[in-house]
Amino acid sequence: MIKISFPDGKVREYHQGVTALEIAQSISHRLAEEVLAAGVNDVTVDLGFPINEDAAIRLYKWDDAEGRHAFWHSSSHLMAEAIEALYPGVKFGIGPAIENGFYYDVDLGENRKLSDADLPKIEQKMQELARTKETFTRREVSKAEALAFFAAKDEVYKLELIDELADGTITFYRQGQFTDLCRGPHLPDSSQVKAIKLLGIAGAYWRGDEKRKQLTRIYGISFPKQKLLDEHLKMLEEAKLRDHRKLGRELELFMFSQSVGAGLPMWLPKGAQLRERLENFLKKVQKEYGYEQVLSPHIGQKELWVTSGHYEKYGKDSFQPINTPQEGEEFLLKPMNCPHHCEMYKFKPRSYRDLPVRFAEFGTVYRYEQSGELHGLTRVRGFTQDDAHIFCRPDQLKDEFIKVIEIIFRIFNALDFKDFITQVSLRDPSNADKYIGSDENWEKAEAAIIEAAAEKGLKTITEVGEAAFYGPKLDFMVRDAIGRKWQLGTIQVDYNLPERFDLEYAGADNQKHRPVMIHRAPFGSMERFVAVLLEHTAGKFPLWLSPDQAVVLPISEKYNNYAKKVVSYLNNSDIRALIDDRNEKIGKKIRDNELKRIPYLLVVGEKEEEAQTVSVRKQGEGDKGAMPMKEFAGLIQEEVNRQMDLL
Ligand SMILES: [Zn+2]
Ligand SMILES: [Zn+2]
């Protein structure tokens, strides 16, 4: 017998060779129906995997990422089988599960092309195959056998992949008529795949290399219930309406120009002002927490990046060096601000009493991304981080974490992000030489993060082995108004850069000590943050941030002068107001300005002019009645202060 331990601490005995599915069956029939994959000692495996020794087990269902992953991976094999049945001779690239669904890259050959119109046919074939309850069978094969199998089908892409694998590590999965090279895991059979939708087609270079062949990537998603698919499709429709690229254009916030270059956003006046408001808000909060603003150039000498280690890690993927007329002089666009801030720390000797030193900068950085990877403001080649580096003593780590968490709370609160979780990424203690820094420091830093998160009441998931080699970190993920998750701010401990830049401070003992460094960016980047904000709010920004806060609508030309007087009164009271004096009916003016997502509409006519009032309509809430200008201004100021947490 072997001992199987469960996440709740319970231990049960089973016969040697028991499978995860049998374990699930031994617990309940229902669980056996819902379980999709299993974790055995933290390795995700098929439900049919025989367990031969004592082990810790997790049973993954639809709610677990690992469960969905196996489900979607199996679905991608199903799609490949359908495609092969419909288009004999097709060659396959890779077909992974992704965050939402799966894709497969295929090469149909010279004279065949897929379009969206072909997708329903493939979908139908998949449904058909799924219903026949095909089992996914795993088989270990030798490298020679694997090569022979795919050579017979002239599957050049698979052959290239196998070439890079070591003999003895290769597995095939087969379902129905289809066999694929895959590590798994998969579902036991296809019958759990109840609802399928193929979502679209894109071009994708083989291995992401622009010099190689462009394959056809087919995206799809599948679910164990039709209801879940219906909900997902509804969410996608809603997401389309909230697409930040579309809203950015409509609200005139930012643009891209092919002449300037792909992935290089430009902020239009309304967008630039919005960004400035965000920056000012953050600067103000950070000032309260003892940060000091600094400024550094957009480039740095190549040697700086060699010292920091970034050159070795990112050098070949980054932009090409900038050479000057001076022989041998070489600069790089900065991919991050940290090395500059390290140099600034070294400007003068620091003592333990000076720490923490907190340098903040809205630093613009440049990173090369393949053109196919670029996406609106979320994947760009140039962006501005709301960056800061804290240099502190090891004993100050916990306090500093608490302070950064408080800053992030202030931001989320002001921007109405109510639903978020955090992830603590720790090192894998069984793999200690992968990490830089002493055990003692790691233990202290990890404890500091965990305690700070607990003290602040954060909902936290802990991932062992997910820490960077240079320190543990805490990530914030927000859920937006339609349930999508976005990764935003990160707080990262770093033992590496202080070492590489030889940073020190004089301790109370008069000895030299190394400070610890914290990198933190609550927004992540201004670009990404504004994108998330646009998609979260559907362009209806909170009042304090909204490009225009109020628009005055005269009922007819006769009241244009009074309307102008209202606008200038509001502008003088620091309220962003404008006039719509087009010669249009008032109903149309109201509709048009609601579409522009201006929070307050102020209608003025004879009554209002006489009483020196405005008739207030609030976006989404309707008529609020008439009130004197001064009262309206007070109302706005109060709402803004409340949102910015200044009251
Ligand atoms: Zn697979
Ligand atoms: Zn940094």
Side-chain angles (χ1 to χ4, degrees):
M1 299 297 271
I2 55 170
K3 287 193 177 67
I4 299 293
S5 60
F6 294 85
D8 62 2
K10 288 208 181 86
V11 178
R12 291 180 180 218
E13 290 209 335
Y14 292 92
H15 65 85
Q16 198 182 36
V18 68
T19 67
L21 189 60
E22 287 164 350
I23 293 173
Q25 274 157 351
S26 78
I27 297 169
S28 84
H29 182 63
R30 170 123 191 228
L31 179 63
E33 269 181 359
E34 288 182 348
V35 67
L36 301 170
V40 174
N41 298 330
D42 282 331
V43 179
T44 315
V45 299
D46 296 324
L47 290 177
F49 178 84
I51 307 169
N52 291 317
E53 291 164 20
D54 292 356
I57 196 170
R58 280 171 186 277
L59 297 170
Y60 297 125
K61 299 195 286 185
W62 181 256
D63 287 337
D64 302 298
E66 294 87 347
R68 291 194 298 275
H69 197 274
F71 193 94
W72 285 331
H73 215 274
S74 307
S75 303
S76 97
H77 285 233
L78 214 52
M79 179 166 78
E81 186 183 4
I83 292 171
E84 192 166 58
L86 295 168
Y87 306 90
V90 58
K91 297 185 200 327
F92 293 100
I94 55 164
I98 52 178
E99 203 190 336
N100 284 297
F102 55 87
Y103 68 75
Y104 221 121
D105 289 345
V106 304
D107 179 357
L108 289 178
E110 285 313 309
N111 299 315
R112 289 190 296 191
K113 239 186 127 127
L114 274 183
S115 76
D116 285 340
D118 300 309
L119 298 181
K121 190 169 60 185
I122 302 171
E123 222 171 84
Q124 209 179 4
K125 186 77 191 166
M126 286 175 74
Q127 302 274 17
E128 233 172 77
L129 295 169
R131 275 196 297 269
T132 61
K133 198 173 179 177
E134 295 181 328
T135 47
F136 289 89
T137 323
R138 179 177 186 273
R139 189 161 68 90
E140 287 170 19
V141 292
S142 70
K143 189 163 178 171
E145 189 185 344
L147 288 170
F149 178 84
F150 283 107
K153 292 172 74 188
D154 195 25
E155 291 249 28
V156 286
Y157 307 107
K158 295 289 180 193
L159 289 171
E160 185 178 326
L161 295 175
I162 296 167
D163 244 347
E164 292 163 16
L165 297 175
D167 204 357
T169 64
I170 301 171
T171 51
F172 277 2
Y173 275 86
R174 178 196 160 109
Q175 95 273 6
Q177 299 305 308
F178 182 74
T179 299
D180 207 347
L181 166 75
C182 191
R183 261 193 295 267
H186 297 101
L187 303 174
D189 66 66
S190 62
S191 66
Q192 276 161 303
V193 182
K194 296 273 201 267
I196 302 165
K197 180 77 188 168
L198 299 190
L199 297 166
I201 288 177
Y205 293 104
W206 171 235
R207 316 212 83 173
D209 182 346
E210 288 169 53
K211 291 181 206 81
R212 305 201 60 186
K213 187 153 185 188
Q214 197 177 41
L215 309 182
T216 305
R217 178 167 295 177
I218 308 168
Y219 286 99
I221 195 159
S222 56
F223 293 90
K225 282 191 193 114
Q226 182 65 35
K227 187 172 155 267
L228 291 173
L229 173 61
D230 294 343
E231 282 168 10
H232 184 76
L233 294 177
K234 208 174 131 216
M235 188 278 286
L236 288 182
E237 272 311 304
E238 182 55 36
K240 234 187 251 170
L241 298 174
R242 292 164 178 261
D243 188 324
H244 74 275
R245 296 168 299 177
K246 170 178 166 286
L247 290 173
R249 221 171 16 246
E250 283 171 15
L251 300 175
E252 298 190 6
L253 297 177
F254 57 86
M255 64 168 287
F256 292 89
S257 148
Q258 285 312 314
S259 308
V260 172
L264 298 170
M266 287 181 288
W267 295 82
L268 295 163
K270 280 179 195 292
Q273 285 164 31
L274 180 129
R275 199 175 125 166
E276 198 172 77
R277 275 192 288 283
L278 279 170
E279 292 184 2
N280 287 342
F281 171 66
L282 196 55
K283 275 184 195 165
K284 190 175 170 300
V285 176
Q286 285 177 171
K287 201 168 165 200
E288 288 171 33
Y289 281 89
Y291 287 71
E292 298 167 292
Q293 289 293 132
V294 295
L295 293 166
S296 62
H298 288 223
I299 60 176
Q301 285 203 83
K302 181 183 155 190
E303 287 316 308
L304 180 71
W305 308 106
V306 172
T307 303
S308 72
H310 292 115
Y311 187 79
E312 196 190 343
K313 212 161 164 35
Y314 304 109
K316 66 176 185 327
D317 298 325
S318 76
F319 290 94
Q320 293 308 300
I322 303 164
N323 293 300
T324 70
Q326 176 86 39
E327 179 86 27
E329 196 173 47
E330 217 171 75
F331 292 91
L332 290 175
L333 283 165
K334 68 175 171 188
M336 25 193 84
N337 306 299
C338 343
H340 292 69
H341 291 185
C342 285
E343 288 297 315
M344 288 161 119
Y345 175 88
K346 284 162 76 172
F347 169 69
K348 60 180 182 187
R350 312 273 176 181
S351 112
Y352 69 100
R353 278 177 312 234
D354 304 330
L355 302 186
V357 169
R358 306 181 189 90
F359 288 152
E361 177 173 11
F362 288 91
T364 303
V365 298
Y366 301 88
R367 295 180 195 171
Y368 180 74
E369 298 272 0
Q370 285 187 0
S371 57
E373 303 285 317
L374 299 171
H375 180 87
L377 289 183
T378 54
R379 278 300 272 280
V380 287
R381 286 173 171 169
F383 55 95
T384 303
Q385 295 179 305
D386 55 322
D387 211 358
H389 294 100
I390 300 167
F391 303 89
C392 66
R393 303 191 307 260
D395 63 288
Q396 293 172 319
L397 265 179
K398 182 178 158 192
D399 260 6
E400 287 308 302
F401 257 84
I402 287 182
K403 289 192 175 113
V404 180
I405 293 169
E406 283 174 2
I407 291 177
I408 292 177
F409 278 175
R410 286 280 292 274
I411 292 165
F412 284 180
N413 195 26
L415 294 161
D416 210 25
F417 284 113
K418 293 197 174 68
D419 193 0
F420 59 90
I421 55 162
T422 52
Q423 178 179 316
V424 183
S425 298
L426 307 176
R427 72 175 173 160
D428 175 2
S430 66
N431 210 345
D433 12 321
K434 219 181 90 184
Y435 305 92
I436 175 167
S438 69
D439 281 351
E440 192 200 339
N441 277 341
W442 271 87
E443 278 154 26
K444 256 193 222 153
E446 292 184 343
I449 298 179
I450 292 166
E451 284 167 28
E455 245 168 70
K456 286 284 140 191
L458 293 178
K459 253 193 279 172
T460 315
I461 48 173
T462 303
E463 292 287 350
V464 174
E466 286 293 301
F469 74 92
Y470 49 86
K473 63 173 177 170
L474 182 68
D475 286 311
F476 282 77
M477 266 95 57
V478 295
R479 198 184 280 277
D480 74 6
I482 56 171
R484 294 170 300 174
K485 272 187 263 164
W486 301 83
Q487 148 102 54
L488 288 179
T490 296
I491 320 176
Q492 168 82 57
V493 178
D494 188 348
Y495 291 111
N496 182 39
L497 287 186
E499 197 73 41
R500 282 178 169 266
F501 281 90
D502 197 19
L503 307 184
E504 0 172 273
Y505 66 90
D509 55 3
N510 256 325
Q511 303 291 310
K512 298 279 179 213
H513 297 269
R514 279 253 186 273
V516 192
M517 195 172 168
I518 300 174
H519 311 251
R520 43 108 283 176
F523 290 161
S525 78
M526 301 309 290
E527 285 73 11
R528 184 176 169 78
F529 191 73
V530 169
V532 174
L533 202 54
L534 271 167
E535 303 221 355
H536 176 50
T537 62
K540 290 175 190 152
F541 292 110
L543 186 66
W544 72 271
L545 195 58
S546 189
D548 300 306
Q549 294 172 312
V551 56
V552 184
L553 312 176
I555 285 177
S556 78
E557 262 173 71
K558 253 174 46 194
Y559 308 105
N560 282 358
N561 277 339
Y562 176 61
K564 281 178 195 153
K565 193 177 136 191
V566 174
V567 169
S568 79
Y569 176 82
L570 294 176
N571 287 343
N572 286 335
S573 316
D574 269 341
I575 291 165
R576 298 182 290 280
L578 71 167
I579 182 172
D580 181 355
D581 56 4
R582 291 175 303 156
N583 197 4
E584 295 283 359
K585 291 235 163 58
I586 188 70
K588 179 166 170 51
K589 285 191 191 180
I590 290 175
R591 277 193 307 277
D592 288 353
N593 285 289
E594 276 178 344
L595 278 180
K596 286 191 196 155
R597 299 168 174 81
I598 300 177
Y600 283 97
L601 310 185
L602 308 176
V603 179
V604 297
E606 189 179 350
K607 258 193 318 191
E608 287 80 9
E609 175 160 18
E610 220 159 72
Q612 297 285 296
T613 58
V614 291
S615 283
V616 179
R617 291 178 68 90
K618 187 170 183 185
Q619 178 88 259
E621 291 181 21
D623 204 349
K624 297 262 156 193
M627 61 184 81
M629 279 185 256
K630 192 173 169 196
E631 190 183 325
F632 174 72
L635 198 90
I636 295 264
Q637 278 146 359
E638 198 190 296
E639 192 176 333
V640 164
N641 286 340
R642 193 172 56 240
Q643 287 176 347
M644 295 178 79
D645 206 7
L646 300 175
L647 291 179

